[in-house]
Each structure stands twice: as C-alpha cells, then as structure tokens.
C-alpha cells in the first residue's frame, strides 16, 4: 500500500468514526445501549434501543425505588412503618401496597405482604439464616394477616401490634412498570429489562421480531425453554433463587403463610406472563405457594395472565403460551402438559 492509499484509508476510517459519532448523538433507533445495575439485592441488566441518555435516568429511578421500597433500609418509609406500627408512606409505596393488598385478597393470602416477621425469622432479608422453631413460627404467624393492614386513611398505613410489611415480592415488578413508563414517555419503542428473574420487554426488537426470553432451569445452570413475547412482563419465582442448607435440608425464601415454612407444594419454579409487572410478580410468588391444583384452578378463573409451572417431573403450560413457549435441551424429553380452560 503506498502513502496515498494509506491516507485515503485513514480518511475513510475517520469518516466512519465521524458517522458512528453522529449516530450516537442522533441515537440510531437500531442501536442498543445497555447498563448493568446492582439494586434490590440482584443484578439488573437494561437494554434500550435508540436512546442512550435515558439509561442514566432509568438507573436513578431504580436506586430511588430501591431505597423507598426496601424493608431493610432504615431510611425507608416501609422500615419506619414496621418499627413504629404505622405512619405516612411515600406515594410509590402507597400505590404499590394498595395493589399488592388487592392481590393478597385475590390469592386468598397465598401472597401476604405481612409475612415479613416470618421471613425475617428465617433470615432471608438479613442473610442470618436459621431454622426457627415451630413454636416461634406459630407465635409469629399470629400477627400475619394482610386483611389487618389498614390503608383507609389516604397515604397512611396502620399496622396491628407485631405486624410488619414487606413489598419484596412485588417491588421488582413495580420497578419494571415504572421503567417501561419512563422509556415509553421518552420515545423508546424497544427495550429488554432484566431485573433478576423479572423480565419486562417493551415493544418488539427493532426489526419487528419477538423477544426470546429464556426461562432458567430451577434444577441446574441452563434453561428450561424459551418464551417469545412482545410488550410483556415475564416473571419467575423459584426456590433456587435464594436458599440455605442446614443438616442436608434446603430451605428457600418463598414462605407459605399457612405454615410459616418454605412453600413445599410441588413446584420448583413458576413463570407468569402478562401485561402488568406487579400482577406477574405477585402471582409468580403466590402461585408458587399454591402448588399445582390450586394454581391451575386460579388460572382458569383468571383472564389476565398465562403461566409456566415447573415441577420435578413435568412442565405445565397454560394454553395461551402453547405457541410462544418451546422447551430446550433435556427439557424436550420431559412431560409437557398444556392446561386448558375447559
Ligand atoms: P419473589 O422472589 O418475587 O417470589 O418474592 C419472594 C420474596 O417475597 C421473599 O424473598 C420474601 O421477602 C417475600 N415473601 C416470601 N414469601 C412470601 C409470601 N407468601 N407473600 C409475600 N411475600 C413473600
Ligand atoms: Mg414475586
């Protein structure tokens, strides 16, 4: 290559660099921008097409909601209400608590935001794991009752003595909803938000293709299968997400409010697919607690979500996901049942 050719090649590279520079300023709608955020005790990965600057605002929103909704942050309204028996809470916590309490009623207490004293006794929010005695659990369960959480005075929460609330089962779903709203209001048409087990996809991929979301294998490192979706929350609750072992027994973090023990009703994981992040987050926890018969019945009586239930020897998929879900690898050989409404 002679000197002239080198100069020409260099100028082409420069023009390409300038074009690339221009595209990041005008923010090419086909260009993806990502950020990893550690919040709410998990690793979150946000991928947004066509708008890089919004990621800073999105990240700040996550940190703000984390501190406002946290049950362990001594500055949060939830913490204060838990330690003072009541008080005024910020609008975000109030809005979420309101929606969560409706879902506690709808799931007949399988979801119960007042389960916190029991969760705390097992050490799941403090990492000081231990197995409480049956007497201790029995005593703590006396103050678990979502129906006794009083939010009738606007912005105020009143708790019965000994009661504590925890929005940990729904906070990531709420955060995903708020992120989707923020992104939509800022012109983003395409985004993949992975808030550690809570996935929310906005629109389709820029080329119009559906997003492919892998469902984690609750029994290993791989995946059970893939869900194709657009504009959906896809939320998984599983016993593998947080647990400890003592004397050869594994204890996980999803508590059955009927017993005070980790739910043991046959599921390894539950994935809920729907339009609303809070609904999907609440129901992934609640249907995990219910177990297969009650969960299938609950789905049949509902029209606002679809589900994938993973048990040790069977995958159950509700009919609305029959075409969208494909098992992969070893899960191709597992029994797969499609649940129908009639
Ligand atoms: P998730 O990962 O969304 O299923 O939520 C599980 C978290 O919610 C746990 O780590 C606890 O903090 C809390 N939790 C556990 N069991 C319940 C329950 N039955 N109802 C409400 N929250 C729960
Ligand atoms: Mg949940």
């Amino acid at each position: 290559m002679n000197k002239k050719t080198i100069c020409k090649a260099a100028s082409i590279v420069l023009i390409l660099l300038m074009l690339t520079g221009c595209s990041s300023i005008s923010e090419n709608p086909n260009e993806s921008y990502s950020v990893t955020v550690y919040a709410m005790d998990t690793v979150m990965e946000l991928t947004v097409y066509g708008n890089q600057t919004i990621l800073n605002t999105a990240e700040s929103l996550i940190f703000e909601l984390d501190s406002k909704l946290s049950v362990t942050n001594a500055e949060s309204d939830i913490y204060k209400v838990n330690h003072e028996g009541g008080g005024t809470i910020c609008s975000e916590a109030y809005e979420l608590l309101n929606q969560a309490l409706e879902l506690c009623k709808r799931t007949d207490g399988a979801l119960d935001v007042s389960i916190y004293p029991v969760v705390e006794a097992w050490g799941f929010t403090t990492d000081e794991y231990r197995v409480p005695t049956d007497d201790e659990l029995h005593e703590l369960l006396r103050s678990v009752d979502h129906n006794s959480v009083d939010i009738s005075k606007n912005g105020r929460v009143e708790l019965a003595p000994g009661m504590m609330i925890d929005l940990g089962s729904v906070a990531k779903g709420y955060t995903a909803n708020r992120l989707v709203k923020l992104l939509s209001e800022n012109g983003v048409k395409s985004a993949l938000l992975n808030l550690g087990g809570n996935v929310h996809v906005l629109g389709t991929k820029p080329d119009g293709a559906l997003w492919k979301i892998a469902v984690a294998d609750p029994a290993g490192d791989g995946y059970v299968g893939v869900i194709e979706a657009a504009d959906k929350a896809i939320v998984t609750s599983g016993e593998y997400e947080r647990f400890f072992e003592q004397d050869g027994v594994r204890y996980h973090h999803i508590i059955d409010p009927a017993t005070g023990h980790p739910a043991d009703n046959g599921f390894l994981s539950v994935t809920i697919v729907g339009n609303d992040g809070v609904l999907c987050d609440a129901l992934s926890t609640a249907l995990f607690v219910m177990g297969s018969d009650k969960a299938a019945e609950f789905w049949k009586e509902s029209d606002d979500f679809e589900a994938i239930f993973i048990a040790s020897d069977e995958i159950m998929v509700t009919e609305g996901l029959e075409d969208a879900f494909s098992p992969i690898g070893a899960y191709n050989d597992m029994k797969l049942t499609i649940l129908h409404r009639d």
Side-chain angles (χ1 to χ4, degrees):
M1 201 188 276
N2 62 31
K3 204 174 171 194
K4 205 170 166 189
T5 325
I6 291 170
C7 284
K8 199 173 169 194
S11 64
I12 289 172
V13 171
L14 192 64
I15 289 167
L16 282 176
L17 282 175
M18 283 167 68
L19 283 175
T20 321
C22 282
S23 71
S24 82
I25 291 165
S26 68
E27 298 188 329
N28 176 352
N30 294 322
E31 187 103 20
S32 72
Y33 305 96
S34 295
V35 67
T36 304
V37 183
Y38 184 78
M40 299 187 176
D41 227 7
T42 193
V43 179
M44 303 183 174
E45 187 86 34
L46 315 183
T47 301
V48 165
Y49 282 81
N51 189 334
Q52 184 171 26
T53 42
I54 199 65
L55 286 177
N56 286 334
T57 320
E59 196 174 355
S60 306
L61 176 62
I62 292 174
F63 290 135
E64 181 192 335
L65 292 175
D66 189 6
S67 62
K68 283 183 167 171
L69 303 175
S70 164
V71 73
T72 50
N73 172 7
E75 298 300 312
S76 83
D77 291 342
I78 298 294
Y79 184 95
K80 285 181 192 152
V81 161
N82 282 343
H83 291 83
E84 291 166 17
T88 306
I89 58 174
C90 63
S91 59
E92 291 89 347
Y94 190 81
E95 181 189 9
L96 179 55
L97 179 59
N98 221 331
Q99 194 181 348
L101 285 172
E102 277 171 25
L103 288 157
C104 292
K105 286 194 179 68
R106 180 173 159 190
T107 59
D108 201 16
L111 181 81
D112 194 322
V113 291
S114 69
I115 195 71
Y116 188 62
V118 179
V119 171
E120 190 185 39
W122 285 94
F124 285 114
T125 46
T126 54
D127 289 349
E128 288 163 20
Y129 300 122
R130 67 190 205 26
V131 180
T133 64
D134 282 347
D135 283 352
E136 187 181 354
L137 289 175
H138 185 74
E139 192 54 33
L140 291 171
L141 282 172
R142 284 155 54 97
S143 54
V144 174
D145 177 14
H146 60 92
N147 287 308
S148 305
V149 179
D150 181 1
I151 51 163
S152 57
K153 294 183 209 77
N154 208 11
R156 266 193 79 80
V157 184
E158 305 294 345
L159 301 178
M163 184 175 262
M164 292 202 266
I165 54 173
D166 170 22
L167 297 174
S169 60
V170 285
K172 285 187 276 169
Y174 178 76
T175 305
N177 279 353
R178 290 286 305 271
L179 288 169
V180 166
K181 186 163 179 275
L182 171 76
L183 297 176
S184 303
E185 285 171 356
N186 283 275
V188 175
K189 303 262 182 296
S190 197
L192 170 65
L193 312 175
N194 183 357
L195 313 187
N198 279 57
V199 174
H200 208 126
V201 290
L202 171 61
T204 60
K205 289 188 194 172
D207 64 2
L210 295 172
W211 298 99
K212 287 184 166 63
I213 309 301
V215 178
D217 180 354
D221 292 333
Y223 298 100
V224 173
V226 173
I227 301 173
E228 291 193 289
D231 278 316
K232 287 281 179 283
I234 300 153
V235 182
T236 300
S237 285
E239 57 167 44
Y240 62 93
E241 289 178 312
R242 186 178 296 263
F243 63 87
F244 68 96
E245 282 177 355
Q246 189 173 303
D247 301 329
V249 181
R250 184 195 270 219
Y251 300 95
H252 66 78
H253 68 134
I254 304 174
I255 304 296
D256 185 342
T259 64
H261 284 268
D264 183 21
N265 296 319
F267 287 150
L268 301 180
S269 78
V270 172
T271 299
I272 304 288
V273 181
N275 294 329
D276 180 57
V278 174
L279 175 91
C280 294
D281 203 356
L283 294 186
S284 67
T285 310
L287 272 61
F288 184 95
V289 169
M290 287 181 195
S292 64
D293 293 350
K294 280 192 192 164
E297 212 38 54
F298 185 91
W299 167 76
K300 282 183 189 169
E301 290 164 3
S302 308
D303 62 2
D304 50 2
F305 72 94
E306 300 294 334
I308 298 170
F309 304 115
I310 315 280
S312 59
D313 55 355
E314 185 179 10
I315 306 174
M316 284 156 278
V317 178
T318 60
E319 59 189 358
L321 286 179
E322 184 171 2
D323 296 336
F325 176 73
S326 324
I328 50 178
Y331 281 89
N332 270 306
D333 300 328
M334 190 177 266
K335 181 181 171 198
L336 190 146
T337 306
I338 305 295
L339 299 177
H340 295 279
R341 283 212 164 71
D342 32 59

